[in-house]
Each structure stands twice: as structure tokens, then as C-alpha cells.
Amino acid sequence: NAGVTQTPKFRVLKTGQSMTLLCAQDMNHEYMYWYRQDPGMGLRLIHYSVGEGTTAKGEVPDGYNVSRLKKQNFLLGLESAAPSQTSVYFCASRSPGRGGPLHFGNGTRLTVT
Amino acid sequence: AQSVTQPDIHITVSEGASLELRCNYSYGATPYLFWYVQSPGQGLQLLLKYFSGDTLVQGIKGFEAEFKRSQSSFNLRKPSVHWSDAAEYFCAVGGLVTGGGNKLTFGTGTQLKVEL
């Protein structure tokens, strides 16, 4: 049971380059989330989706775009990377029902030079 | 707006000693509360959760947490810490808000070091 899989695991970009982070889940969850983790700041929500074809902004959405064309996949795009986007990015999906917990991938470490 | 405060950035305990990690939350209704653990280079793993019922909840790896509504707290405890418990611990709050996407808000984490 793979759970939540993120690709790539590591990436180095130059300022202004673009890239897409892929998140795939095999648990048939409706809700999916993208967080970034920075030292001393915990996890901050970038964007989320409550189902196929839907997306919504989180706490820190600027500079990112997302798409949820298929239920199992949630893509995070950086159109023009900036050094401030150097971070570890985590994708998560949520179990259904009251108090359903989040299930996390292992993260993507992105460095923008 | 919902928020979580973890006042301790770093905690060091000796192996075998007891542990308590503090978490205070702000939420406008009955919250769902979670504790997650993160080992280096890994994603977050759920330790335990609370959303109703008994205010003392048991989790994996011998952890427990107590929900105290009057204090807006959800502190994590373990009677005897093992060296393998060294990791970063995150408290999170969320709830069932219509149209809110059931988002979780995380604290800034507490890094636990275990001395042998």
C-alpha cells in the first residue's frame, strides 16, 4: 500500500525556472493538500482540493498554482521560482469522516538558487 | 481564525524519563486535535487524535494526550521515553467547517532530543 507518493524527492532550480511537483494517492481520498515546511515555521498550507476538478487557496498561495484533473493526483506548480520558495514541500490526503487525519508523503526538498 | 502554539522549540530528556510536550490552540468551535511525529527526512506520521468523547486519548508508540477545554490545551505525554522517540513533534488543530476544506493548522513544532 503506497499511500501518498511525491515526486521528485529533491530538486535544484535557478531563479525564474519553472517546475511541477506531483502528488499521487491510492486511498481514494477526496481531500488533498499542499504544505510547505520551513525551519521555525511549522507547516503552512499552500493550496488544497476538496475533490476532482476543485482547488482553493490556503495560507501562502502566492507564486504557486495547482491542478486536480484526476482524483488521485494533485499537482503543485511553480511558474517562476524564487529563492523564497526554497523549502520542503509536503503533500497530504485526508481520510473521510469526522476527524479524519492527514496522510503525508515523504516530501520534496526544493532549493532555488 | 484557528491557531496552534507550541511554546517549546527544543526539549532534551534522558532515556527512561517522562515527557510532556505542550500545545495550546485557538479555535472557534469544538476542535479536532492531532499530534504528528516527523523523523528526519520523512513525512509526518499520526500519533493520535481527539475529536470527541474521552478527553484522554491513547496513541501509537505509548503516547497519550489530554484535551483540556478550559485551558485550550492538548499536551502530549509519554511515561518513559526511548532513544527512538527523538524526532520533531507537531500539534495540529482543525474542524468541520462548511466550505472550509477541513484544513489543519499546525504548530511550529518541538524538537525532542533524547540523551542516553
Side-chain angles (χ1 to χ4, degrees), chain A residues 34-54:
Chain A
W34 276 106
Y35 286 88
R36 61 177 288 173
Q37 183 179 29
D38 302 290
M41 304 191 74
L43 280 78
R44 293 180 292 167
L45 182 64
I46 304 171
H47 286 281
Y48 64 98
S49 168
V50 300
E52 181 178 310
T54 75

Side-chain angles (χ1 to χ4, degrees), chain A residues 39-99:
Chain A
M41 304 191 74
L43 280 78
R44 293 180 292 167
L45 182 64
I46 304 171
H47 286 281
Y48 64 98
S49 168
V50 300
E52 181 178 310
T54 75
T55 63
K57 294 180 180 180
E59 181 185 355
V60 289
D62 293 342
Y64 305 95
N65 56 76
V66 287
S67 64
R68 184 96 181 270
L69 299 180
K70 293 183 178 181
K71 186 177 184 178
Q72 63 267 35
N73 295 336
F74 194 28
L75 278 62
L76 178 71
L78 287 73
E79 293 183 344
S80 179
S84 61
Q85 294 177 305
T86 294
S87 187
V88 181
Y89 292 87
F90 286 99
C91 176
S93 67
R94 194 180 76 85
S95 291
R98 292 181 63 201

Side-chain angles (χ1 to χ4, degrees), chain B residues 35-115:
Chain B
W35 274 99
Y36 285 84
V37 60
Q38 183 182 32
S39 298
Q42 301 294 314
L44 280 70
Q45 179 186 18
L46 178 69
L47 280 177
L48 47 80
K49 66 177 184 179
Y50 168 82
F51 62 89
S52 67
D54 194 345
T55 56
L56 183 64
V57 294
Q58 303 296 321
I60 62 171
K61 304 184 181 185
F63 286 92
E64 66 178 26
E66 186 171 12
F67 171 58
K68 293 185 177 180
R69 185 186 300 275
S70 61
Q71 298 178 18
S72 297
S73 69
F74 189 57
N75 294 348
L76 182 70
R77 301 194 294 249
K78 186 170 185 178
S80 178
V81 170
H82 188 263
W83 64 267
S84 60
D85 293 324
E88 190 158 21
Y89 292 79
F90 292 92
C91 181
V93 66
L96 193 60
V97 177
T98 302
N102 295 294
K103 301 184 294 290
L104 289 192
T105 298
F106 287 82
T108 52
T110 297
Q111 187 72 45
L112 173 65
K113 180 180 177 181
V114 180
E115 291 183 332

